[in-house]
Amino acid sequence: MIDSEGTPRVLEFNCRMGDPETQPIMMRMKSDFVQLLDAAINGKLANMEAEWDRRTALGVVLAAANYPQAPRTGDVIAFHTPQATSGTSHFHSEPADTAQEAKVFHAGTQAKKGQAFTAGGRVLCATALGDSVRVAQQKAYQLVQTVHFEGMQYRTDIGHHAIGRKVD
């Protein structure tokens, strides 16, 4: 947070892999994450250089029904893939390949018999890369439209403040 005098203050620092604060950062990582972890374990991280995608990353959390008070669990998660040739659409238990431009991160999910189910409050995070905040935002919300589960809720204003500041 930045106060009225321009002084920044840290209120919270999240770095857990399942947190929506971490997932957009992971979209930008071009290096092999396992190699970086291995180097860290072996005391050789100083010899490594992480490579990052310079594009903007933005994530939209898809939350369960009744989140945050009493999130409902057990709802089937379906991933919608439009079929351009037939004009129909299909639902899958995993998202379609999006050429590394966009990715759905699982958080509060559980797999049973080849299907994904809601298992927590913040269920998924639809995350995308773009050459600007606006482009990343558009891609992330396009990805949101490919996901469905009963009671799914999400904010529709992610990235709007950054766009309003003419960051992109």
Side-chain angles (χ1 to χ4, degrees):
M1 300 291 290
I2 300 174
D3 67 20
S4 60
E5 296 174 14
T7 305
R9 300 195 189 282
V10 175
L11 296 180
E12 178 181 26
F13 180 79
N14 289 313
C15 61
R16 295 179 305 257
M17 296 307 294
D19 281 347
E21 296 86 354
T22 304
Q23 294 157 346
I25 293 169
M26 294 306 295
M27 281 292 294
R28 295 186 57 234
M29 181 175 277
K30 293 171 91 173
S31 299
D32 184 325
F33 187 56
V34 174
Q35 284 183 341
L36 292 171
L37 289 174
D38 190 48
I41 290 167
N42 293 312
K44 298 180 180 179
L45 191 57
N47 301 332
M48 302 289 291
E49 185 156 336
E51 186 179 354
W52 298 95
D53 191 313
R54 301 206 39 91
R55 292 177 292 174
T56 299
L58 184 136
V60 178
V61 171
L62 307 178
N66 304 321
Y67 176 79
Q69 288 79 19
R72 189 170 72 207
T73 61
D75 291 314
V76 175
I77 302 168
F79 298 93
H80 171 73
T81 306
Q83 300 296 322
T85 55
S86 66
T88 62
S89 59
H90 300 277
F91 285 89
H92 304 279
S93 60
E94 287 295 324
D97 178 31
T98 53
Q100 305 304 317
E101 296 287 317
K103 181 180 192 76
V104 174
F105 285 90
H106 286 246
T109 65
Q110 181 180 30
K112 292 183 204 172
K113 298 181 183 179
Q115 277 199 293
F117 293 84
T118 61
R122 294 184 289 187
V123 177
L124 302 166
C125 187
T127 309
L129 293 170
D131 291 327
S132 67
V133 175
R134 186 179 312 276
V135 171
Q137 179 195 52
Q138 289 169 345
K139 288 180 184 179
Y141 279 109
Q142 286 171 352
L143 186 57
V144 166
Q145 297 307 309
T146 69
V147 179
H148 173 77
F149 55 88
E150 289 299 317
M152 183 173 91
Q153 57 181 331
Y154 57 91
R155 289 180 45 180
T156 58
D157 63 342
I158 303 299
H160 287 297
H161 290 296
I163 291 169
R165 287 193 310 255
K166 306 289 187 220
V167 174
D168 62 345

